Amino acid sequence: MRSLPEITINAFQLAVLLDEAEKHFYNFVMENLVFCAQCRDIANEGVEVVEVCLTELNDVRVRGRCRKCHNEVIRLFAFGGNEKFYAKASRLRESIKLNLMEA
């Protein structure tokens, strides 16, 4: 399989990619299951999302900051293994590529 470039996506693009179950899972994890190395605990005051990327495997990587201590936190969602999600992510990549070529 050819390696895909990592791309940054915005909140709207992420919302288009995720189905209802994936959105629920994403929101639950971001609110309850992101570990902060500085706090040595779950970022229980939440995470400020700084960047969302599609990785070379069409997984979603979220980089943010712990709202309590402002330390960088990262969470990987391995959605790329799901064929339906992978196909949607590939179509999004193509549309982004086309939009960049037109600009």
Side-chain angles (χ1 to χ4, degrees), residues 12-92:
F12 177 78
Q13 292 164 326
L14 178 63
V16 168
L17 280 176
L18 301 178
D19 65 23
E20 286 305 311
E22 291 163 342
K23 285 178 189 173
H24 178 72
F25 177 73
Y26 172 87
N27 289 329
F28 181 82
V29 169
M30 291 304 294
E31 292 169 9
N32 301 292
L33 298 174
V34 177
F35 184 80
C36 175
Q38 182 72 27
C39 293
R40 296 179 188 244
D41 199 0
I42 299 298
N44 54 18
E45 290 185 19
V47 173
E48 177 187 344
V49 175
V50 173
E51 179 181 59
V52 179
C53 294
L54 275 177
T55 70
E56 65 277 357
L57 299 174
N58 276 345
D59 291 331
V60 174
R61 187 179 69 241
V62 180
R63 190 171 61 82
R65 299 221 170 269
C66 171
R67 290 190 184 203
K68 181 176 182 180
C69 71
H70 307 291
N71 187 56
E72 182 178 49
V73 294
I74 297 174
R75 184 66 195 219
L76 181 69
F77 294 86
F79 292 138
N82 176 310
E83 288 181 26
K84 184 178 173 184
F85 181 88
Y86 191 93
K88 285 171 48 176
S90 294
R91 286 192 303 274
L92 175 66

